mmCIF file of all heavy atoms in Angstrom:
data_model
loop_
_atom_site.group_PDB
_atom_site.id
_atom_site.type_symbol
_atom_site.label_atom_id
_atom_site.label_comp_id
_atom_site.label_asym_id
_atom_site.label_seq_id
_atom_site.Cartn_x
_atom_site.Cartn_y
_atom_site.Cartn_z
ATOM 1 N N GLN K 38 6.320 -8.412 14.415
ATOM 2 C CA GLN K 38 6.526 -6.986 14.549
ATOM 3 C C GLN K 38 7.442 -6.779 15.750
ATOM 4 O O GLN K 38 7.270 -7.418 16.795
ATOM 5 C CB GLN K 38 5.247 -6.311 14.747
ATOM 6 C CG GLN K 38 4.310 -6.337 13.553
ATOM 7 C CD GLN K 38 2.995 -5.643 13.822
ATOM 8 O OE1 GLN K 38 2.871 -4.923 14.761
ATOM 9 N NE2 GLN K 38 2.074 -5.704 12.924
ATOM 10 N N THR K 39 8.396 -5.928 15.615
ATOM 11 C CA THR K 39 9.242 -5.632 16.780
ATOM 12 C C THR K 39 9.073 -4.120 17.123
ATOM 13 O O THR K 39 9.333 -3.244 16.301
ATOM 14 C CB THR K 39 10.705 -5.868 16.441
ATOM 15 O OG1 THR K 39 11.110 -5.051 15.220
ATOM 16 C CG2 THR K 39 10.954 -7.333 16.175
ATOM 17 N N GLY K 40 8.753 -3.917 18.349
ATOM 18 C CA GLY K 40 8.640 -2.529 18.794
ATOM 19 C C GLY K 40 7.224 -1.954 18.490
ATOM 20 O O GLY K 40 6.599 -2.281 17.556
ATOM 21 N N LYS K 41 6.783 -1.049 19.393
ATOM 22 C CA LYS K 41 5.453 -0.395 19.225
ATOM 23 C C LYS K 41 5.302 0.394 17.898
ATOM 24 O O LYS K 41 4.296 0.354 17.275
ATOM 25 C CB LYS K 41 5.195 0.457 20.411
ATOM 26 C CG LYS K 41 3.876 1.155 20.490
ATOM 27 C CD LYS K 41 3.672 1.870 21.701
ATOM 28 C CE LYS K 41 2.257 2.557 21.729
ATOM 29 N NZ LYS K 41 2.024 3.284 22.882
ATOM 30 N N TRP K 42 6.335 1.094 17.494
ATOM 31 C CA TRP K 42 6.266 1.985 16.311
ATOM 32 C C TRP K 42 7.001 1.422 15.139
ATOM 33 O O TRP K 42 7.039 2.005 14.041
ATOM 34 C CB TRP K 42 6.706 3.367 16.620
ATOM 35 C CG TRP K 42 6.093 3.970 17.806
ATOM 36 C CD1 TRP K 42 6.502 4.132 19.114
ATOM 37 C CD2 TRP K 42 4.692 4.407 17.822
ATOM 38 N NE1 TRP K 42 5.565 4.728 19.901
ATOM 39 C CE2 TRP K 42 4.416 4.931 19.147
ATOM 40 C CE3 TRP K 42 3.672 4.457 16.893
ATOM 41 C CZ2 TRP K 42 3.135 5.339 19.502
ATOM 42 C CZ3 TRP K 42 2.432 4.972 17.291
ATOM 43 C CH2 TRP K 42 2.261 5.437 18.620
ATOM 44 N N HIS K 43 7.632 0.253 15.314
ATOM 45 C CA HIS K 43 8.443 -0.257 14.253
ATOM 46 C C HIS K 43 7.655 -1.516 13.685
ATOM 47 O O HIS K 43 7.820 -2.631 14.146
ATOM 48 C CB HIS K 43 9.851 -0.617 14.796
ATOM 49 C CG HIS K 43 10.698 -1.151 13.647
ATOM 50 N ND1 HIS K 43 11.114 -0.362 12.624
ATOM 51 C CD2 HIS K 43 11.258 -2.385 13.438
ATOM 52 C CE1 HIS K 43 11.974 -1.021 11.863
ATOM 53 N NE2 HIS K 43 12.023 -2.210 12.259
ATOM 54 N N VAL K 44 6.858 -1.285 12.661
ATOM 55 C CA VAL K 44 6.099 -2.454 12.134
ATOM 56 C C VAL K 44 6.859 -3.033 10.893
ATOM 57 O O VAL K 44 7.220 -2.348 9.973
ATOM 58 C CB VAL K 44 4.653 -1.922 11.539
ATOM 59 C CG1 VAL K 44 3.946 -3.043 10.920
ATOM 60 C CG2 VAL K 44 3.930 -1.301 12.753
ATOM 61 N N ARG K 45 7.089 -4.312 11.081
ATOM 62 C CA ARG K 45 7.756 -5.042 9.938
ATOM 63 C C ARG K 45 6.812 -6.068 9.493
ATOM 64 O O ARG K 45 6.509 -7.040 10.182
ATOM 65 C CB ARG K 45 9.103 -5.549 10.395
ATOM 66 C CG ARG K 45 10.155 -4.561 10.591
ATOM 67 C CD ARG K 45 11.412 -5.115 11.011
ATOM 68 N NE ARG K 45 12.028 -6.026 10.146
ATOM 69 C CZ ARG K 45 12.940 -5.783 9.179
ATOM 70 N NH1 ARG K 45 13.364 -4.525 9.123
ATOM 71 N NH2 ARG K 45 13.345 -6.703 8.369
ATOM 72 N N THR K 46 6.362 -5.920 8.241
ATOM 73 C CA THR K 46 5.511 -6.952 7.617
ATOM 74 C C THR K 46 6.380 -7.849 6.773
ATOM 75 O O THR K 46 7.594 -7.618 6.524
ATOM 76 C CB THR K 46 4.461 -6.262 6.805
ATOM 77 O OG1 THR K 46 5.105 -5.589 5.653
ATOM 78 C CG2 THR K 46 3.593 -5.350 7.548
ATOM 79 N N PHE K 47 5.705 -8.901 6.265
ATOM 80 C CA PHE K 47 6.448 -9.758 5.285
ATOM 81 C C PHE K 47 6.904 -8.982 4.134
ATOM 82 O O PHE K 47 8.063 -9.217 3.617
ATOM 83 C CB PHE K 47 5.461 -10.907 4.755
ATOM 84 C CG PHE K 47 6.167 -11.700 3.743
ATOM 85 C CD1 PHE K 47 6.971 -12.774 4.166
ATOM 86 C CD2 PHE K 47 5.966 -11.514 2.394
ATOM 87 C CE1 PHE K 47 7.624 -13.568 3.247
ATOM 88 C CE2 PHE K 47 6.673 -12.346 1.493
ATOM 89 C CZ PHE K 47 7.496 -13.341 1.952
ATOM 90 N N ASP K 48 6.125 -7.984 3.591
ATOM 91 C CA ASP K 48 6.614 -7.151 2.485
ATOM 92 C C ASP K 48 7.840 -6.440 2.859
ATOM 93 O O ASP K 48 8.779 -6.262 1.970
ATOM 94 C CB ASP K 48 5.547 -6.208 2.054
ATOM 95 C CG ASP K 48 4.357 -6.886 1.424
ATOM 96 O OD1 ASP K 48 4.594 -8.000 0.813
ATOM 97 O OD2 ASP K 48 3.255 -6.272 1.337
ATOM 98 N N THR K 49 7.975 -5.968 4.082
ATOM 99 C CA THR K 49 9.162 -5.218 4.492
ATOM 100 C C THR K 49 10.352 -6.180 4.401
ATOM 101 O O THR K 49 11.442 -5.799 3.944
ATOM 102 C CB THR K 49 9.041 -4.768 6.001
ATOM 103 O OG1 THR K 49 7.781 -3.978 6.068
ATOM 104 C CG2 THR K 49 10.176 -3.921 6.381
ATOM 105 N N TYR K 50 10.281 -7.443 4.947
ATOM 106 C CA TYR K 50 11.349 -8.376 4.871
ATOM 107 C C TYR K 50 11.733 -8.712 3.453
ATOM 108 O O TYR K 50 12.855 -8.795 3.058
ATOM 109 C CB TYR K 50 11.001 -9.570 5.630
ATOM 110 C CG TYR K 50 10.940 -9.523 7.140
ATOM 111 C CD1 TYR K 50 9.773 -9.504 7.820
ATOM 112 C CD2 TYR K 50 12.169 -9.404 7.935
ATOM 113 C CE1 TYR K 50 9.743 -9.310 9.207
ATOM 114 C CE2 TYR K 50 12.240 -9.344 9.204
ATOM 115 C CZ TYR K 50 10.951 -9.284 9.911
ATOM 116 O OH TYR K 50 10.905 -9.159 11.252
ATOM 117 N N TRP K 51 10.647 -8.963 2.623
ATOM 118 C CA TRP K 51 10.914 -9.271 1.246
ATOM 119 C C TRP K 51 11.682 -8.253 0.484
ATOM 120 O O TRP K 51 12.683 -8.497 -0.158
ATOM 121 C CB TRP K 51 9.608 -9.598 0.542
ATOM 122 C CG TRP K 51 9.812 -9.823 -0.934
ATOM 123 C CD1 TRP K 51 9.529 -9.065 -1.971
ATOM 124 C CD2 TRP K 51 10.251 -11.058 -1.537
ATOM 125 N NE1 TRP K 51 9.886 -9.560 -3.135
ATOM 126 C CE2 TRP K 51 10.270 -10.879 -2.928
ATOM 127 C CE3 TRP K 51 10.685 -12.216 -0.939
ATOM 128 C CZ2 TRP K 51 10.705 -11.849 -3.816
ATOM 129 C CZ3 TRP K 51 11.136 -13.260 -1.829
ATOM 130 C CH2 TRP K 51 11.169 -13.028 -3.259
ATOM 131 N N CYS K 52 11.295 -7.035 0.615
ATOM 132 C CA CYS K 52 11.916 -5.854 -0.088
ATOM 133 C C CYS K 52 13.406 -5.788 0.473
ATOM 134 O O CYS K 52 14.294 -5.489 -0.453
ATOM 135 C CB CYS K 52 11.151 -4.532 0.154
ATOM 136 S SG CYS K 52 9.641 -4.520 -0.658
ATOM 137 N N GLU K 53 13.603 -5.956 1.693
ATOM 138 C CA GLU K 53 14.913 -5.928 2.204
ATOM 139 C C GLU K 53 15.884 -7.016 1.655
ATOM 140 O O GLU K 53 16.940 -6.736 1.181
ATOM 141 C CB GLU K 53 14.924 -6.021 3.752
ATOM 142 C CG GLU K 53 16.237 -5.860 4.455
ATOM 143 C CD GLU K 53 16.129 -6.074 5.936
ATOM 144 O OE1 GLU K 53 15.250 -5.410 6.543
ATOM 145 O OE2 GLU K 53 16.809 -6.839 6.550
ATOM 146 N N VAL K 54 15.352 -8.227 1.565
ATOM 147 C CA VAL K 54 16.140 -9.357 0.983
ATOM 148 C C VAL K 54 16.415 -9.057 -0.455
ATOM 149 O O VAL K 54 17.558 -9.308 -0.982
ATOM 150 C CB VAL K 54 15.363 -10.698 1.192
ATOM 151 C CG1 VAL K 54 15.987 -11.773 0.374
ATOM 152 C CG2 VAL K 54 15.324 -11.041 2.688
ATOM 153 N N VAL K 55 15.457 -8.675 -1.237
ATOM 154 C CA VAL K 55 15.594 -8.461 -2.737
ATOM 155 C C VAL K 55 16.627 -7.356 -2.919
ATOM 156 O O VAL K 55 17.459 -7.439 -3.845
ATOM 157 C CB VAL K 55 14.229 -8.170 -3.354
ATOM 158 C CG1 VAL K 55 14.387 -7.678 -4.808
ATOM 159 C CG2 VAL K 55 13.375 -9.367 -3.426
ATOM 160 N N ASP K 56 16.473 -6.246 -2.175
ATOM 161 C CA ASP K 56 17.417 -5.143 -2.326
ATOM 162 C C ASP K 56 18.863 -5.574 -1.952
ATOM 163 O O ASP K 56 19.783 -5.251 -2.626
ATOM 164 C CB ASP K 56 17.020 -3.978 -1.366
ATOM 165 C CG ASP K 56 15.804 -3.194 -1.948
ATOM 166 O OD1 ASP K 56 15.425 -3.381 -3.064
ATOM 167 O OD2 ASP K 56 15.225 -2.451 -1.110
ATOM 168 N N ASN K 57 19.090 -6.289 -0.856
ATOM 169 C CA ASN K 57 20.382 -6.768 -0.464
ATOM 170 C C ASN K 57 20.911 -7.695 -1.517
ATOM 171 O O ASN K 57 22.191 -7.790 -1.628
ATOM 172 C CB ASN K 57 20.287 -7.513 0.871
ATOM 173 C CG ASN K 57 20.035 -6.458 2.066
ATOM 174 O OD1 ASN K 57 20.243 -5.303 1.934
ATOM 175 N ND2 ASN K 57 19.639 -7.045 3.205
ATOM 176 N N ALA K 58 20.159 -8.466 -2.212
ATOM 177 C CA ALA K 58 20.587 -9.377 -3.214
ATOM 178 C C ALA K 58 20.916 -8.658 -4.495
ATOM 179 O O ALA K 58 21.482 -9.256 -5.453
ATOM 180 C CB ALA K 58 19.632 -10.481 -3.482
ATOM 181 N N GLY K 59 20.491 -7.313 -4.641
ATOM 182 C CA GLY K 59 20.740 -6.574 -5.863
ATOM 183 C C GLY K 59 19.788 -6.987 -6.959
ATOM 184 O O GLY K 59 20.144 -6.828 -8.116
#
Side-chain angles (χ1 to χ4, degrees):
Q38 296 180 8
T39 55
K41 184 176 180 181
W42 303 107
H43 185 68
V44 176
R45 289 182 58 98
T46 63
F47 178 81
D48 288 338
T49 307
Y50 287 106
W51 175 258
C52 290
E53 184 179 310
V54 167
V55 170
D56 287 345
N57 289 343

